[in-house]
Amino acid sequence: MEKASVEQTPKIHLGWVAVLALSGLLITALAFGGRFVPGIGEDDLAVWQSILTNFGVGLLSAAVLLLFEPKFRKVVTDTVNTATAGVKDEVREAFQADIDERLAPLAERIASLYKAKLADQEALVTDLADNFTYERVTQTLREADAMAALHAKSLRVQAEDVPGKLHISLQLRSFYSADAWLNGQPKRGAQPEEELVLSAYTNGGNDASVTWEPDEDFATVAFDLAEELASQGARGLKQQIIWDPVLARFEKNFKVALESSHGGDGVLGIDGAVVEVAGSDSAPWYLTNKGLYYPNQSWSLPAKSFVTAHRGYGHESRTFPDVEKPSWADPAEWNYMVSRARSHFDIF
């Protein structure tokens, strides 16, 4: 239907053009063809010639407009469309440029926040062993806990070459003061306090703990721990703890725990919040709240491999399945880590 109407339109226009043009010519010719009304005066003749001439020229003009109107309309339409398209493109480009300008700084600001956070964490643990202060250790434990990198705001490392002989832990404990309790519960609105605790665990099962006060340097706290061990008969004062490698292990494994919590490529293959690190410094074992890991062999076992809970008849029992030692595992390291894993997962 649209095609038929398009084809008929030129024919209708040409017919009307011919009628208008002929009419205009005849009327114009009549105006100057002589006296068309007998007896008309000179003044009246001039008036009628002017009227007929204007009318004839008007008809001729209408014929010309009618003839060229489709082309004129097309030119105008094309011009308007082109101009409109240009304006649309310009508006679209300007709008996109504005969006890009707004989003680019936003993306940069977000990326800078990530970068700054990671840089702050790295700075927090860098050279920690050389500047082992109450403030830095506390901040590190808090940051690691905020990233779910450590279990219970605590980290335990091996202090002697033989696994199980001596291990040291740092923990930031939360507690309520004596006047914050009421009927066995913390008072409403009471805020917990924090204490930094340094602990030692020996192969005889003895352990000792001392509180690290904010105004104490580490040397004082380390000696207090040695005295506490001696008072329990676990380790004599002549068996001095060599602290340099211990502090280096704390620094290294705080960093490992934080980096592992970030996820992504290039991090150590461990999962979960770190509980303890033991074994050699070059190939350590990692106990986390999700299992036992030995990244050097890309090996791991989940928590359920060490303790199995059985529920029924209103009681619960637990068994400790046998775990086969890998052929590459050092027997002393393996025995200690399996024992620690069972002990840790047995409380859950």
Side-chain angles (χ1 to χ4, degrees):
M1 294 299 293
E2 292 182 3
K3 184 175 182 181
S5 64
V6 171
E7 290 177 349
Q8 290 173 4
T9 301
K11 293 180 181 180
I12 295 173
H13 284 180
L14 289 176
W16 281 105
V17 167
V19 171
L20 290 172
L22 288 173
S23 300
L25 288 173
L26 288 174
I27 293 173
T28 303
L30 179 63
F32 294 93
R35 292 181 176 272
F36 46 85
V37 179
I40 192 171
E42 291 294 333
D43 292 338
D44 291 336
L45 177 63
V47 172
W48 280 103
Q49 283 180 335
S50 176
I51 292 172
L52 293 174
T53 299
N54 289 334
F55 187 64
V57 171
L59 292 175
L60 286 172
S61 299
V64 172
L65 289 174
L66 189 60
L67 177 63
F68 291 103
E69 183 270 341
K71 294 182 179 179
F72 177 74
R73 182 172 58 187
K74 184 177 185 303
V75 170
V76 172
T77 302
D78 291 345
T79 302
V80 171
N81 288 339
T82 301
T84 303
V87 171
K88 287 181 178 179
D89 290 340
E90 291 178 2
V91 171
R92 186 183 301 111
E93 291 174 1
F95 180 75
Q96 187 62 45
D98 182 64
I99 292 296
D100 292 342
E101 185 178 353
R102 290 173 183 271
L103 291 182
L106 177 61
E108 291 172 4
R109 291 198 302 272
I110 294 174
S112 69
L113 292 176
Y114 278 90
K115 186 176 180 180
K117 182 67 171 181
L118 295 174
D120 289 344
Q121 289 182 358
E122 183 176 359
L124 190 60
V125 296
T126 298
D127 299 327
L128 178 63
D130 296 328
N131 189 20
F132 211 74
T133 64
Y134 175 91
E135 181 179 6
R136 287 196 64 186
V137 171
T138 301
Q139 289 178 344
T140 301
L141 286 167
R142 286 175 181 157
E143 184 65 23
D145 179 68
M147 297 293 104
L150 294 179
H151 176 73
K153 298 183 186 178
S154 174
L155 178 63
R156 186 187 297 193
V157 300
Q158 187 171 307
E160 299 279 1
D161 292 336
V162 179
K165 185 176 181 181
L166 180 65
H167 294 255
I168 305 293
S169 79
L170 284 164
Q171 183 177 23
L172 192 61
R173 294 178 182 170
S174 296
F175 69 98
Y176 289 93
S177 61
D179 59 357
W181 293 88
L182 179 65
N183 298 326
Q185 296 292 331
K187 294 178 181 178
R188 183 184 298 242
Q191 295 297 319
E193 299 180 29
E194 287 183 331
E195 62 179 2
L196 183 56
V197 178
L198 181 69
S199 301
Y201 305 87
T202 67
N203 56 5
N206 297 311
D207 63 270
S209 296
V210 294
T211 300
W212 186 352
E213 301 295 342
D215 58 347
E216 290 182 312
D217 63 22
F218 182 72
T220 301
V221 182
F223 185 73
D224 290 344
L225 183 66
E227 283 192 315
E228 183 66 21
L229 283 168
S231 69
Q232 296 187 18
R235 188 180 181 94
L237 288 178
K238 287 189 176 181
Q239 296 175 285
Q240 293 188 27
I241 300 173
I242 308 302
W243 283 102
D244 287 347
V246 175
L247 301 188
R249 287 169 193 143
F250 274 121
E251 177 183 326
K252 173 186 175 182
N253 292 300
F254 276 135
K255 184 176 181 180
V256 167
L258 283 168
E259 288 181 347
S260 296
S261 72
H262 298 156
D265 298 331
V267 300
L268 199 62
I270 63 176
D271 187 23
V274 176
V275 176
E276 181 169 0
V277 185
S280 66
D281 292 332
S282 59
W285 296 79
Y286 292 87
L287 176 62
T288 78
N289 64 345
K290 292 188 177 181
L292 182 62
Y293 297 83
Y294 191 72
N296 196 53
Q297 292 287 340
S298 300
W299 177 95
S300 66
L301 277 179
K304 63 182 180 181
S305 301
F306 301 97
V307 180
T308 303
H310 304 276
R311 295 179 177 87
Y313 301 105
H315 70 279
E316 179 181 299
S317 62
R318 300 194 176 202
T319 59
F320 302 92
D322 291 332
V323 184
E324 183 178 357
K325 182 181 79 69
S327 59
W328 41 260
D330 177 83
E333 293 178 359
W334 171 257
N335 291 335
Y336 175 77
M337 292 310 298
V338 170
S339 173
R340 282 289 297 126
R342 286 174 172 163
S343 175
H344 177 73
F345 295 122
D346 187 36
I347 65 176
F348 296 100

